[in-house]
Amino acid sequence: MKAWIIDGKFGLDALRLVERETPRPRAGEVLVRVRAASLNYRDLGVVEGFYFPDQPLPLTPGSDAAGEVVAVGEGVTRVRAGDRVALAFYQGAWIGGGPDRAALGTRTLGGPRQGVLAEYAIADAEGVVRYPEHLTFGEASTLPIAGVTAWQALFTEAQVGPGSVVVVQGTGGVAAFAIQLARAAGARVLATSRSAAKLERARALGAHEAIDTSATPAWDERVLALTEGTGADVVVDVAGGDLRRSVNALRFGGQVSLVGLLGGTTAQLEVVPVIQRRARIQAISVGSREMFEALDRLVGLHRLRPAIARTYPFERADEALAALRAGEHVGKIVVDGATT
């Protein structure tokens, strides 16, 4: 099979397209023909050696994929050959309830386990999920990380519903899902971005109001003005770095769902406003298979279509990762499966 690998060193310039032996599923595993993969900033961090600097190489990167089951190992009954599935990020390690820290650290796709930028991928039988039939392979490939992360940020760790006010920072993969899901749940959605063009796309995805942070740097004050001083129930914070405005934009008892670190790996935070608002700051790390299945039900019910910024052919996956690093996209960047 064809597969992309990082070999010898980390970095985009170390990515190579090679021929490797097609794996065979062992007991409890399935072999999936990868029809599409979507990219995450995590994948870029793995390729560049940021996330796992001690990761043994060679490694096939990529954490999100959808495709067809082509073979099953001994004892597998959850799925069968021909089923269309998406691969859960935590492979068989987080089915429901609370996460097992030890298992989560060793069973993630695209580092430390082999990833999905290949013609075929091995998955645990407990780590695949059938997805809504109206979705394409490319759309389904965006669900496992971005979709499930947004789900947990809004519904598992917060209780977003009709009448809630949700602020969503940015327009990347998680942000685009958060806008769509919150709108589908009946919430009022306020989107923020430095780009007027991206804010227009956010409106098209379902945002009720758009706040241009290049023109209005004090976006938290604008949120308070739009909510008559009450504040937001949830701020989906994709930046990290400086959490002060996110906290200031909250209502009493509101939550910052921290889903990213685009603003850096250390945070600025003032404790007094957190206490005064009884604010909750909740880190979000994707989610369980049960959350994935709940997400699928809502996506299927509302026939939502995930936002895809651009799709690249398999042979240009390195260009897709470079485009991800540039950060000009709205929604997800997808890589089609290999054609041979």
Side-chain angles (χ1 to χ4, degrees), residues 56-331:
L57 301 178
L59 172 74
T60 293
S63 310
D64 269 352
E68 298 164 332
V69 176
V70 294
V72 301
E74 182 181 352
V76 173
T77 58
R78 283 192 71 244
V79 293
R80 59 185 179 182
D83 284 349
R84 295 188 172 197
V85 297
L87 281 63
F89 176 55
Y90 296 117
Q91 278 294 294
W94 189 3
I95 304 302
D100 179 334
R101 180 180 178 184
L104 297 191
T106 59
R107 298 173 71 174
T108 52
L109 292 171
R113 288 181 58 152
Q114 294 295 323
V116 298
L117 284 178
E119 286 188 87
Y120 296 91
I122 287 288
D124 292 343
E126 298 294 328
V128 296
V129 176
R130 297 181 184 88
Y131 57 82
E133 294 181 356
H134 74 280
L135 298 180
T136 66
F137 285 118
E139 291 168 336
S141 76
T142 71
L143 298 173
I145 290 182
V148 175
T149 297
W151 180 273
Q152 184 180 182
L154 296 172
F155 306 122
T156 305
E157 296 295 346
Q159 287 74 48
V160 169
S164 298
V165 177
V166 176
V167 176
V168 179
Q169 292 181 348
T171 54
V174 174
F177 264 112
I179 292 169
Q180 291 179 293
L181 297 177
R183 178 66 184 250
R188 180 184 179 191
V189 184
L190 316 181
T192 74
S193 174
R194 292 189 300 269
S195 166
K198 289 183 178 181
L199 287 173
E200 284 303 310
R201 180 65 175 134
R203 286 186 181 277
L205 290 172
H208 294 85
E209 283 97 11
I211 303 172
D212 187 337
T213 56
S214 63
T216 309
W219 59 266
D220 52 327
E221 296 178 7
R222 180 60 178 158
V223 170
L224 293 173
L226 288 169
T227 58
E228 300 180 343
T230 301
D233 295 273
V234 178
V235 174
V236 180
D237 190 310
V238 303
D242 191 341
L243 299 178
R244 291 174 295 182
R245 293 198 184 280
S246 290
V247 170
N248 192 50
L250 290 177
R251 66 162 172 81
F252 186 79
Q255 174 173 308
V256 176
S257 289
L258 182 59
V259 303
L261 42 76
L262 296 178
T265 57
T266 59
Q268 297 182 59
L269 183 65
E270 294 178 1
V271 176
V272 171
V274 174
I275 294 173
Q276 289 175 333
R277 283 174 168 75
R278 291 193 73 249
R280 182 183 184 198
I281 299 174
Q282 176 65 55
I284 304 296
S285 181
V286 193
S288 67
R289 195 187 77 197
E290 288 183 357
M291 296 180 207
F292 195 165
E293 291 164 341
L295 166 69
D296 278 353
R297 290 192 290 271
L298 186 142
V299 169
L301 176 65
H302 292 274
R303 298 190 68 81
L304 298 179
R305 306 211 78 107
I308 294 178
R310 187 173 179 183
T311 300
Y312 287 78
F314 181 78
E315 292 74 16
R316 292 169 55 198
D318 53 345
E319 295 179 33
L321 281 161
L324 179 71
R325 183 166 60 183
E328 298 300 320
H329 56 288
V330 175

